[in-house]
Structures are given as structure tokens and as C-alpha cells.
Amino acid sequence: MASPSADSSTIIESPLALHHIPSHVSHDIPMYNTAPAPLKNDDSIYDRLSPSRKIVITCVLAVCGFLSPISSTTVLSAIPEVASTYHTTGSIINVSNAVYLIFMGISPCLWGPMSQVYGRRWMCISSSVLFFGCSLGTALSPNLGAFFVFRALTAFQGTSFLIVGASCIGDIYRPQERATALGWFLSGTLIGPAIGPFVGGVIVTFRSWRVIFYLQTALGGLATLLVVFLLPETIHHKRSEELEGLNRVQKARQLWEWTNPWRIVKLYRYPNLTIASLASSALVWNMYSLLTPIRYIINPRFDLTTPIQSGLFYLAPGAGYLAGTFFGGRWADHTVKKWIVMRGRRVPEDRLRSCVPFMGIIIPACMLIYGWSIEKKAGGIALPVITMFFQGFAQLFCFPSLNTYCLDVMQSRSAEVIAGNYMTRYFFAAAGSAAVLPAVQHIGVGWFSTISAIFLALVTAAVYCAALWGEAWRDKIDGVPSHEGEKSGATPAAVRGEKSERV
């Protein structure tokens, strides 16, 4: 896309016709042909809120981000009981979980763009209220059809917290700080799927499976209260302000332009964003492929007889996610700061380097050991538990890096970039959740784990390539020769009219 010279504040018409939001983050791509707007050179906008208020916001977002992912797995320990209630099979109920994940993938196309137009706060309030109502509907479902519908609607509302929450973190934290905060936010999104089956196992051992969704309803009510009273508006600029003075037809046309889902899909013309999405997708595929079949493969392997016994195995990756929360985000921020010193400026792709050894070596190795130890009945209970812990621990060194990269690389469209990332990852999660049981039955857990490990290794190679050449790829897509900035003494970011952070 066309962009101004380094010393110009004029925004030149862009083929995407997107609105430009001045930002203080490098590689904030100017968009939309509107009146000239000066680009500020300070980052004081991140000081609007006190550090303690930022911590409170992060905690609220982590609680909200906990809801939809935990709902995706609490039912796993109760699949036989739910199937019995509706006179169907466990495979059919497992399909409902895949449908849940598909709707988690679809909903970012709405919530991401809408949060750019109307702000973060109202999207969180709306989705929390709807999540509460749909969770109650799931608990009261009289038949299988209603169970499927309310599960899907719950997923559609709950994903809003994942998209808007990550964007809120990007709104209030500087780039060099936000991976740590994002790590705490992601702890809710990752610990939820891991402890959900344990909670479900405890409940279904002593009570009806419907109590699982009554608990989910109560958590949705808690999230609503927290958002209403503790979450302020964080967005720097709401596009809805530009609708003033327009008639209804003009407003409708402009809203469609801003919220058209195709805007998110078009972001994948950037290879670096495609690779980041595939990397997140490989990790989520791995996570749901690991969690979904536990009751079906762990129980027979170790002669377990109750849901609560198999539910205990879910605590191992959950403990890994919790432990990784304290280190993963800090490691990503440390890597960025180290490369700033080495380069003299911040390049978003340098953040990707922090996840390469964990995603390319540790997680595939854990997956192989886990799968083949179960397949060959070797190592006893301790071996799969240890590998599940380290797998969860390593994932918290990957997700903060990938998610924060999506915030850094295109700050003015951060909600849309995050939305595209979540859309892809949950489509893969749905595929993994639906495919794992039939695949394990046909080829065994060992070979399925091998396929997952190979997928991770290949994607890690692509991530390393993005870390090396991602900036040049973006320059090429934007029509900015990398050597142009070097000749003029400016960086490619400055050539595009962005603020490059130099030391």
C-alpha cells in the first residue's frame, strides 16, 4: 500500500481505504485517505492509566479470557454421561465440541472489527451478558439439538474476550512491556482448557453433568460484573466518532466497510501474519489433540474407572501453563530488548525468535514421548504426566511471543490481526478435536502424536524464516523497498510514515 515519505505527515490514498489511527508503535501502517494527521513521536498515551490500574485490567481480562476456553473442555470428562442423556454416542458429543471450536473461529470476524468501531468496553459487556444467557440455555437444554445450538452460541460470545482482551493489552502497555502482561492474560485462556476436564470430572462423579454448565453460568455472571465495574474504555480512537453527521445509508455503508469480514481475510496476503497464525494453530491443534482423548486412552492404559481419576491427568498441563505464566512473557520481552540493543532499533519480528526452541524442540519431543509411552505402555503414570507438564510449560513461552507479535506488527489494526489469528487457530482446534479419536483408533496414539510433532517442527522452521525476513516481506507487500530507507538514512518504517523506535 502506498504511504508517505519519512518527513511527511500527509496520508496518501491507500488501496484498502482504511482509516489511519496515529500510533506510537513501530510498523503501524498508515491507512485510509482522510485529512492529514500528524504522527506523534511520544508514547505518553500508554501512561493514561496507573500501573496498578493496568494490573487490575489485566486480571479482569484474564478472568474473562478463562471462560470460553474452559467451556470448550469441561464437557470432555462428561462425554459418556451427556451421550447417555441424549441417547447418542460419545463421538457425536465430541462433534459438538468441534462445532464449539468452529464458532470460536468464526466469531472473531465480528468481534475484532466491531471493537475497533465501538470500542473495547461495550463489546466486552455485550458478550459477557450473552455468554451468561447462552450458558444457562446449555444447562437447561431439553434435547441434543438445543444442546448443540446453545453450545455454539456460547462459543460465539465467549471468543470476544480473547480478541478484545488482547487488544486491550496492546492499548495500555508499551511494546517492550506487553508480552509479560499478555502472558498473564493468556494464562486464563490456556489454564482454562487444562483444568476444565478436571472440574468436569469432579462434578460428574458426584452430580449431574448439567451442574457443569450452571457453574459456567455463574462464572459468566461474575465476568459481567467485573467488566461493568472495573474495565474502562482503552481504545485510543473509536471509529464510531466518524459517523457523526452521516445519514443512515452512509452510516450503513461505512459500517460495512469497517466490519466486512473480508478485511480480516485480506491480512493473510502478509506471509508473516499467515505464518504466525499457522504457528498458533499448530500449538492449539497440539493442545486439543492432547486433551480431548485423555479419558479414552488414559483410562484403559492405567485401568482407571472414574471420571475424576482421568480428570486428574488434566492438571499436569494446567500446572505447566501456570508455571510458564511467570516466565514466558518475560522471556519474550527480554528477547526483544536484547535485539533492540543489537540492532539499535525495534523490529517486531525479533520477538518471534523467543519461541523457536520451545516450539521446535521441546513441545515436539514431549509429544513424541507422551504418544509412544502410551502406545507401548512404557514408563508408568509418571512419564506422561511429566511430558504433559513440560508441554504446557513450553506453550507459555510460545503464545505470548506470537500474540504480542500480532499486536506489534500492525498496531492500528491490532484487533483485526488478532481476530484473524484466533480464527485460524480455532479452526485447527476444531479439526484436531474432531479428528483425534477416529485417528487414534485407526493409527494409534503414537503415530498421531508423531504427525502432530512433525506439524510443529515444520511450522517452527517457517517462524524462524519470518524472524529473519519478515520485515522485508512486509516492505515488499507495502511497496517500500528496504534499501530506500537505508539510502535516505531512515528505516523502512520511517519511509512508510511510521515511527521507528531507535535507541
Side-chain angles (χ1 to χ4, degrees):
M1 60 182 74
S3 55
S5 62
D7 58 353
S8 172
S9 62
T10 302
I11 305 301
I12 299 175
E13 184 173 353
S14 163
L16 286 181
L18 304 175
H19 177 74
H20 170 65
I21 302 173
S23 171
H24 319 287
V25 184
S26 76
H27 299 100
D28 175 10
I29 301 177
M31 293 168 287
Y32 206 74
N33 51 324
T34 182
L39 296 174
K40 299 177 182 179
N41 290 322
D42 65 90
D43 57 0
S44 59
I45 198 166
Y46 298 113
D47 297 322
R48 293 179 303 162
L49 301 172
S50 66
S52 59
R53 189 70 187 279
K54 292 180 183 180
I55 292 173
V56 171
I57 292 172
T58 302
C59 292
V60 169
L61 294 173
V63 171
C64 293
F66 176 81
L67 297 181
S68 187
I70 193 175
S71 177
S72 71
T73 59
T74 45
V75 75
L76 293 182
S77 293
I79 285 177
E81 288 75 18
V82 178
S84 176
T85 298
Y86 294 124
H87 307 292
T88 186
T89 66
S91 296
I92 296 297
I93 301 303
N94 206 48
V95 168
S96 78
N97 217 46
V99 171
Y100 185 96
L101 294 168
I102 288 173
F103 272 80
M104 286 186 73
I106 293 173
S107 68
C109 295
L110 170 69
W111 294 116
M114 289 294 286
S115 73
Q116 297 285 95
V117 177
Y118 293 108
R120 322 295 192 201
R121 174 176 161 81
W122 282 109
M123 291 303 100
C124 284
I125 292 175
S126 301
S127 57
S128 62
V129 171
L130 291 171
F131 183 89
F132 171 84
C134 293
S135 296
L136 183 59
T138 306
L140 299 174
S141 297
N143 53 55
L144 185 61
F147 181 80
F148 266 70
V149 169
F150 280 112
R151 284 278 287 160
L153 291 176
T154 303
F156 194 86
Q157 317 306 331
T159 314
S160 167
F161 298 123
L162 308 183
I163 309 306
V164 181
S167 298
C168 288
I169 298 294
D171 292 339
I172 63 178
Y173 283 98
R174 289 178 173 84
Q176 296 91 335
E177 304 167 338
R178 61 175 60 134
T180 300
L182 202 62
W184 284 101
F185 168 68
L186 290 172
S187 66
T189 69
L190 295 175
I191 293 172
I195 71 169
F198 171 71
V199 174
V202 172
I203 290 174
V204 81
T205 299
F206 301 103
R207 293 287 186 270
S208 166
W209 62 264
R210 294 184 188 272
V211 176
I212 294 173
F213 295 100
Y214 287 127
L215 174 61
Q216 180 180 305
T217 302
L219 291 174
L222 173 63
T224 302
L225 294 175
L226 291 175
V227 169
V228 169
F229 292 106
L230 296 178
L231 182 67
E233 182 56 71
T234 63
I235 195 171
H236 301 166
H237 172 81
K238 289 192 288 188
R239 292 179 176 174
S240 59
E241 298 170 0
E242 300 168 33
L243 299 176
E244 297 179 7
L246 301 180
N247 59 41
R248 290 184 179 179
V249 175
Q250 290 172 325
K251 286 182 180 179
R253 184 182 298 116
Q254 189 63 75
L255 280 172
W256 173 248
E257 180 182 339
W258 287 337
T259 60
N260 185 349
W262 184 245
R263 287 166 54 88
I264 293 175
V265 176
K266 286 172 68 176
L267 290 172
Y268 287 109
R269 73 185 189 278
Y270 289 91
N272 50 312
L273 295 182
T274 301
I275 289 172
S277 293
L278 285 175
S280 298
S281 300
L283 291 167
V284 172
W285 164 282
N286 172 76
M287 180 172 69
Y288 280 90
S289 297
L290 175 74
L291 297 178
T292 299
I294 280 181
R295 187 168 176 183
Y296 288 88
I297 64 175
I298 293 288
N299 281 27
R301 165 69 178 85
F302 298 109
D303 299 319
L304 306 179
T305 57
T306 66
I308 194 172
Q309 287 176 326
S310 57
L312 289 169
F313 278 88
Y314 291 93
L315 296 181
Y321 294 139
L322 181 61
T325 298
F326 295 96
F327 305 102
R330 288 181 172 85
W331 171 253
D333 283 338
H334 167 76
T335 302
V336 169
K337 293 172 183 176
K338 180 182 74 173
W339 279 88
I340 287 176
V341 173
M342 294 172 62
R343 288 183 185 273
R345 65 186 179 95
R346 186 179 67 86
V347 175
E349 280 74 18
D350 286 336
R351 186 180 296 278
L352 297 176
R353 300 173 187 271
S354 65
C355 69
V356 168
F358 299 93
M359 189 165 61
I361 299 174
I362 296 177
I363 298 178
C366 290
M367 197 68 184
L368 289 172
I369 295 171
Y370 169 81
W372 287 107
S373 67
I374 298 295
E375 179 83 15
K376 300 300 182 181
K377 298 183 178 181
I381 290 178
L383 186 58
V385 167
I386 291 171
T387 55
M388 291 166 76
F389 170 83
F390 279 107
Q391 189 169 178
F393 183 77
Q395 284 192 16
L396 254 296
F397 281 79
C398 301
F399 278 118
S401 174
L402 295 167
N403 282 40
T404 309
Y405 173 72
C406 291
L407 293 174
D408 288 353
V409 74
M410 203 174 287
Q411 175 75 7
S412 62
R413 299 180 66 183
S414 59
E416 296 172 21
V417 177
I418 288 288
N421 189 281
Y422 273 96
M423 178 181 69
T424 305
R425 73 169 67 175
Y426 279 112
F427 284 157
F428 274 85
S433 182
V436 60
L437 282 179
V440 166
Q441 291 169 357
H442 283 84
I443 64 175
V445 64
W447 281 112
F448 186 82
S449 298
T450 301
I451 292 171
S452 298
I454 292 173
F455 182 26
L456 279 166
L458 292 175
V459 171
T460 303
V463 168
Y464 186 67
C465 290
L468 294 177
W469 303 306
E471 184 180 22
W473 293 344
R474 288 186 288 111
D475 291 341
K476 184 176 181 179
I477 295 293
D478 295 333
V480 180
S482 297
H483 64 272
E484 182 177 341
E486 295 171 5
K487 289 182 178 179
S488 62
T491 65
V495 172
R496 285 193 296 264
E498 307 161 9
K499 177 181 175 290
S500 177
E501 299 184 8
R502 284 189 173 275
V503 182

